[in-house]
Amino acid sequence: MSSSSSSSNSTPKTKEINVIVVGVSGSEAVKGPSGVGKSLLCNRFVRPAADEFHREHSSVLSQIDFCGSPVINKDHWLYWGSRVLNTSEASTSNVLVRVAEQTEFLDDETFETIAECSKSENYCQRCSRTSLQSRDKLMYIQKEQLGLESEFPQHLLPDGKFNVDGFILACDVSKETVLHSNHVINIVKSIAKTKKPIVIAFTKCDEMSEECKRHYMTLFLATKELKHVLCNLPPVETSAVKNVNVEYLFGSLAMLCLRSQKLVKKPPLAYHEASLFVEQRNLHVKCCFSTLLSQAVPLCVYPKKCLSWKQVLADIDRHPDLMNFVEVFGSRVAFEMYERYVSEAKELWAMNRLRSLVPRLFEIFQVFLDVVDLAEMEWNMARDYMRCHPLFSVLFENNDYDLDMWSPSTFNVDEKSRLPAEILLLPEAANVFEQFRHSTQSLRLKHQLAQEFEYLLHEIHQILPGSSLDSSYPSFQHFSIIKKLPPEIIAEVYDKFQQKLIENARRQMEECLLEAATEFQNYSHGTSEFLGIKQLDTVRNYIEKDKRYQWMKLIPAERDQIILTHLPFIFNASPLNCPSLEMCIDMVGASILNDFSEQTSTFGGSSGFSECFEATRRNLGKKMARVQICAMCGDHRLSIDSLATALFYNDLIRSSNPSYSTDVSSFIEVLDESTLNWNTLELSVNSYHSWTNRNDTIPRKFIDFTDGYLLVYKFKRASN
């Protein structure tokens, strides 16, 4: 059977059936703390929609509710309304079922039944009446149902008459007291005398026990007045709260009334089967409504499209899935489901946005964990380590997880912004850490092996500058480390090694040429424009037996280029031809000493250089001594700077009066410890090639008047 909207106007094919619901009623001592469920059955059948179903119906009235009112009187029966049911009968397509309830009300002052107060007949006598009449009888569906204005329309019973066609006996199977059982049996015997169709409804089956159910079945089977009733239809297990078997209950009674109490072909389902059917139906209704919401507010476009509940209702107002859901669960539940859906959409969007930032963690791990031992570090340890890191607040926003924070208007999408700290709680963050650890350990292992391989290459003296990898491979192929390195790393390390080897060979070749320069100073006194192949061959022949020359035999073109570059200097060792160009000692030596002299006025420390100046001071008497400092060009960054630091940060030496200084000399004062007098000393700085060039007139002038010489020479040279 299926229901349709109720209507009091009948059609020619509509049969009218009047049903009255009876059951134990009266004071709490009779019916217990709660009623047997008569009102709930009537409410659920007449108005099954969730918004119109109320779980509480008051049975306590005040005097002002009924005194003088035609609604509340000694009859105490309530008209609930009507509902049209569809049937499969050929002669009758629809059945209009009118529903009334026989009940008792209590006086709130005396807590006695109004029937007792009015000295009327008792409930068993009244509930078995088959002809009811009362002017202006009203239905009620609220807790404050009588004497107050209802939010629902008031339905008047036509002519105030109600001729009973059948009875429904509501038996509360959650109560097993003897008093309750006796009242049920008395009511059954009373209504059985009417010879009207009767259907027994087991109410509150969602709270019943099997023992209580068996108790009432045994009780009914032992009652001879119920034999014809149980032959027609066994008790129907119902739950008005869950809407289980309620429609079947009223429909079965209607069929019995139409067929003159013939057997109903379809037996009632047991409660657990009927309840399962209702749950599956409700689940289907909920799934359909959820699908409808997903179409109205798609997750894939959130938050670009996020409609309010009013906007959603405007789009799906008459949609069957919405109407079915509101019918079963109610409009309030529909709104709550919409709110949960939007909340889930917001959380899903936030999680997706958070997951989109996960790849940035790899770079952040490089900041926090680049120098950390990752061999035995777990993700929890790494996360705690990062939280204690000083840079954590710089790269992360340490806020509690709050969906409001993730709203589209407040979420920061700048790729250079700080990451939310909650990203470290995602499983994807642990996966990125594992990738980072594996990658970092692999890189560190490769780097370590590459360093070891490079160290081994330095020990292989057979490898010459310019040697190819293929030609050098037999020299180290037996090393065990070769099996651990991929070919591309071997090639990369070897290329780097060759670059250093060639650079070292260049420096040693330049040293070789500088040393040989003193042998060619008298060879030619012309300018460098006359230098050519003859001079190149001369230099080659002179240094061909030097190991530094032979070491570059695999790169002869580069070796000849170095020789050609140094030819002008070899045959004319002037500052203009110096390979160091503008950094020649002759150019910058004096300025280095003057800069140190101007920057310092008091000095401290000690130096071995003071011994040289002390010896010169003792041997020279009172005249101003001159000392010439000679250094190799290209070494001044270490040699001259170190010498100047030692001179001007010494207890026995101090800077002299700046008026003595010249462009080529600097002056210092040396302390005579015996007399405590300061003696002035003149310093001049020249390059090694100018000092050894006997043909240069300017160095001869200094040599003739020089009292001492100081050679500054870097000891890390190949010639050593």
Side-chain angles (χ1 to χ4, degrees):
M1 299 180 187
S2 61
S3 62
S4 64
S5 301
S6 62
S7 174
S8 61
N9 297 325
S10 62
T11 63
K13 294 184 179 181
T14 300
K15 178 71 175 180
E16 296 181 358
I17 300 295
N18 294 332
V19 176
I20 192 162
V21 179
V22 298
V24 177
S25 185
S27 63
E28 186 172 324
V30 176
K31 66 179 182 179
S34 60
V36 297
K38 302 188 300 298
S39 298
L40 287 177
L41 281 177
C42 298
N43 190 173
R44 179 61 82 179
F45 174 72
V46 175
R47 279 180 169 74
D51 288 340
E52 299 178 354
F53 178 75
H54 300 270
R55 299 187 62 171
E56 296 195 15
H57 302 84
S58 178
S59 60
V60 179
L61 303 175
S62 64
Q63 293 291 336
I64 61 174
D65 291 329
F66 65 90
C67 289
S69 171
V71 178
I72 304 302
N73 51 40
K74 63 181 180 180
D75 293 325
H76 300 296
W77 61 275
L78 297 176
Y79 176 64
W80 276 85
S82 61
R83 179 181 173 188
V84 177
L85 295 178
N86 294 330
T87 66
S88 59
E89 290 295 313
S91 59
T92 305
S93 60
N94 297 318
V95 178
L96 178 65
V97 181
R98 292 195 181 100
V99 180
E101 174 192 357
Q102 278 284 8
T103 185
E104 290 276 3
F105 288 101
L106 301 179
D107 186 351
D108 62 349
E109 295 181 359
T110 62
F111 283 94
E112 296 179 352
T113 64
I114 299 177
E116 294 172 350
C117 294
S118 60
K119 297 182 180 180
S120 178
E121 73 268 35
N122 59 30
Y123 181 79
C124 291
Q125 294 175 343
R126 289 188 298 104
C127 71
S128 60
R129 293 168 55 187
T130 58
S131 179
L132 306 177
Q133 185 173 1
S134 180
R135 185 174 59 87
D136 299 333
K137 269 297 181 183
L138 299 177
M139 71 165 190
Y140 75 95
I141 55 175
Q142 289 181 324
K143 184 176 181 180
E144 299 84 4
Q145 65 269 25
L146 294 175
L148 299 176
E149 183 179 357
S150 173
E151 65 182 85
F152 297 96
Q154 296 178 342
H155 292 263
L156 298 178
L157 182 62
D159 301 328
K161 296 180 181 180
F162 194 90
N163 297 321
V164 179
D165 296 314
F167 291 89
I168 291 178
L169 173 61
C171 178
D172 186 357
V173 291
S174 66
K175 297 181 175 68
E176 196 178 354
T177 63
V178 176
L179 180 61
H180 184 269
S181 301
N182 292 336
H183 280 291
V184 170
I185 295 301
N186 292 334
I187 294 174
V188 166
K189 291 179 179 180
S190 179
I191 62 177
K193 296 177 182 179
T194 63
K195 305 300 181 180
K196 297 288 184 179
I198 300 173
V199 176
I200 299 176
F202 282 168
T203 60
K204 302 183 182 180
C205 289
D206 51 326
E207 302 175 6
M208 76 172 180
S209 63
E210 290 297 325
E211 293 78 4
C212 189
K213 175 184 173 182
R214 286 193 296 268
H215 166 75
Y216 281 101
M217 285 299 298
T218 303
L219 185 64
F220 291 153
L221 291 173
T223 305
K224 63 179 181 179
E225 289 84 358
L226 286 179
K227 289 183 179 180
H228 71 284
V229 175
L230 298 178
C231 290
N232 292 333
L233 190 70
V236 180
E237 300 175 7
T238 66
S239 173
V241 173
K242 295 186 176 180
N243 198 11
V244 177
N245 278 339
V246 175
E247 184 176 329
Y248 175 86
L249 173 68
F250 285 87
S252 298
L253 180 59
M255 295 299 294
L256 288 174
C257 295
L258 290 175
R259 296 183 181 186
S260 301
Q261 298 187 4
K262 292 182 179 180
L263 292 175
V264 179
K265 295 181 180 180
K266 185 179 179 182
L269 292 175
Y271 175 76
H272 66 276
E273 296 178 359
S275 177
L276 180 61
F277 173 79
V278 172
E279 290 176 358
Q280 292 175 346
R281 181 201 64 187
N282 294 348
L283 179 61
H284 175 71
V285 171
K286 183 178 291 185
C287 291
C288 292
F289 181 65
S290 178
T291 303
L292 183 63
L293 280 179
S294 64
Q295 295 172 354
V297 188
L299 290 178
C300 58
V301 296
Y302 183 87
K304 296 180 180 178
K305 182 181 179 181
C306 183
L307 304 179
S308 65
W309 178 235
K310 291 183 178 180
Q311 292 173 322
V312 172
L313 286 181
D315 292 340
I316 62 175
D317 184 29
R318 307 305 300 173
H319 197 281
D321 292 339
L322 172 64
M323 298 174 67
N324 291 337
F325 186 87
V326 173
E327 177 78 13
V328 175
F329 297 100
S331 57
R332 181 180 59 83
V333 178
F335 174 69
E336 292 175 353
M337 190 168 177
Y338 160 79
E339 285 188 322
R340 287 196 301 270
Y341 178 83
V342 172
S343 177
E344 292 173 359
K346 183 183 292 186
E347 186 170 358
L348 178 62
W349 174 83
M351 285 292 99
N352 291 337
R353 185 66 184 90
L354 199 60
R355 289 189 176 97
S356 67
L357 300 175
V358 167
R360 289 180 56 188
L361 288 176
F362 198 92
E363 298 178 358
I364 292 180
F365 289 159
Q366 291 178 341
V367 176
F368 287 105
L369 307 173
D370 185 47
V371 296
V372 179
D373 184 10
L374 301 174
E376 298 181 357
M377 177 172 284
E378 299 293 337
W379 169 233
N380 292 336
M381 299 170 57
R383 186 168 54 194
D384 294 340
Y385 175 82
M386 288 191 297
R387 289 186 181 276
C388 298
H389 199 280
L391 294 178
F392 184 82
S393 59
V394 177
L395 300 177
F396 287 95
E397 289 180 330
N398 196 6
N399 297 323
D400 294 334
Y401 184 76
D402 186 1
L403 280 182
D404 294 336
M405 184 188 69
W406 300 95
S407 62
S409 59
T410 59
F411 191 85
N412 197 341
V413 296
D414 187 3
E415 294 184 354
K416 296 182 180 180
S417 64
R418 294 187 298 170
L419 293 179
E422 290 76 14
I423 196 173
L424 299 177
L425 301 177
L426 295 179
E428 292 83 354
N431 297 335
V432 174
F433 170 73
E434 291 299 328
Q435 297 174 4
F436 171 78
R437 180 169 66 172
H438 178 73
S439 174
T440 302
Q441 287 179 322
S442 300
L443 290 176
R444 290 177 181 178
L445 179 60
K446 290 179 181 179
H447 180 70
Q448 181 180 356
L449 294 176
Q451 284 185 330
E452 294 178 4
F453 178 50
E454 187 175 359
Y455 294 152
L456 291 175
L457 289 177
H458 284 285
E459 301 297 327
I460 304 176
H461 302 291
Q462 295 87 344
I463 301 179
L464 299 178
S467 300
S468 65
L469 177 60
D470 294 336
S471 62
S472 302
Y473 191 77
S475 302
F476 52 78
Q477 64 179 355
H478 61 281
F479 293 157
S480 60
I481 197 173
I482 297 300
K483 301 178 181 179
K484 302 177 183 179
L485 289 172
E488 60 273 11
I489 298 297
I490 294 176
E492 180 182 350
V493 173
Y494 185 81
D495 290 343
K496 186 185 299 184
F497 168 73
Q498 273 293 328
Q499 292 176 4
K500 294 180 180 179
L501 204 63
I502 293 174
E503 184 62 28
N504 188 32
R506 289 196 192 100
R507 289 196 300 268
Q508 295 192 30
M509 187 63 189
E510 290 174 355
E511 291 180 10
C512 179
L513 293 173
L514 292 176
E515 293 174 4
T518 56
E519 300 296 330
F520 295 94
Q521 294 304 307
N522 297 325
Y523 182 81
S524 174
H525 297 283
T527 60
S528 59
E529 62 183 355
F530 299 105
L531 300 177
I533 300 299
K534 180 179 179 182
Q535 289 77 10
L536 177 62
D537 291 338
T538 301
V539 175
R540 282 177 181 168
N541 294 334
Y542 180 78
I543 62 174
E544 63 180 355
K545 295 183 180 181
D546 193 292
K547 64 179 181 179
R548 291 168 289 184
Y549 178 83
Q550 297 175 358
W551 201 29
M552 299 185 69
K553 64 182 179 181
L554 298 181
I555 45 176
E558 188 165 352
R559 182 178 60 185
D560 291 344
Q561 181 63 36
I562 296 174
I563 297 175
L564 286 173
T565 304
H566 285 71
L567 277 180
F569 177 76
I570 292 174
F571 291 99
N572 184 10
S574 66
L576 296 177
N577 294 332
C578 180
S580 297
L581 301 176
E582 69 275 3
M583 301 309 294
C584 177
I585 295 296
D586 292 332
M587 302 290 187
V588 300
S591 63
I592 292 175
L593 291 180
N594 289 333
D595 291 342
F596 271 87
S597 177
E598 294 175 0
Q599 294 173 6
T600 57
S601 57
T602 58
F603 312 98
S606 61
S607 172
F609 291 111
S610 61
E611 298 178 0
C612 174
F613 297 118
E614 179 66 15
T616 303
R617 179 183 59 79
R618 289 196 300 265
N619 295 332
L620 295 179
K622 296 183 179 180
K623 74 183 186 77
M624 183 182 296
R626 178 184 292 115
V627 175
Q628 183 177 357
I629 302 174
C630 299
M632 298 291 291
C633 294
D635 291 351
H636 70 278
R637 294 184 181 274
L638 295 176
S639 58
I640 300 299
D641 288 353
S642 299
L643 175 62
T645 302
L647 286 175
F648 297 108
Y649 289 89
N650 194 289
D651 293 335
L652 303 178
I653 302 173
R654 70 182 184 185
S655 179
S656 182
N657 192 323
S659 60
Y660 287 105
S661 300
T662 65
D663 293 338
V664 295
S665 299
S666 296
F667 296 86
I668 62 175
E669 294 181 355
V670 181
L671 178 63
D672 185 349
E673 295 181 282
S674 60
T675 62
L676 298 179
N677 293 327
W678 291 90
N679 298 318
T680 303
L681 185 66
E682 180 183 356
L683 299 178
S684 63
V685 181
N686 299 98
S687 63
Y688 178 77
H689 57 78
S690 296
W691 182 49
T692 56
N693 187 357
R694 304 292 182 177
N695 297 325
D696 196 334
T697 56
I698 297 178
R700 286 178 61 87
K701 177 182 178 182
F702 284 102
I703 292 173
D704 291 340
F705 297 98
T706 299
D707 301 301
Y709 300 92
L710 183 62
L711 177 61
V712 182
Y713 192 79
K714 186 172 70 172
F715 70 94
K716 290 184 178 180
R717 286 186 175 274
S719 59
N720 292 338

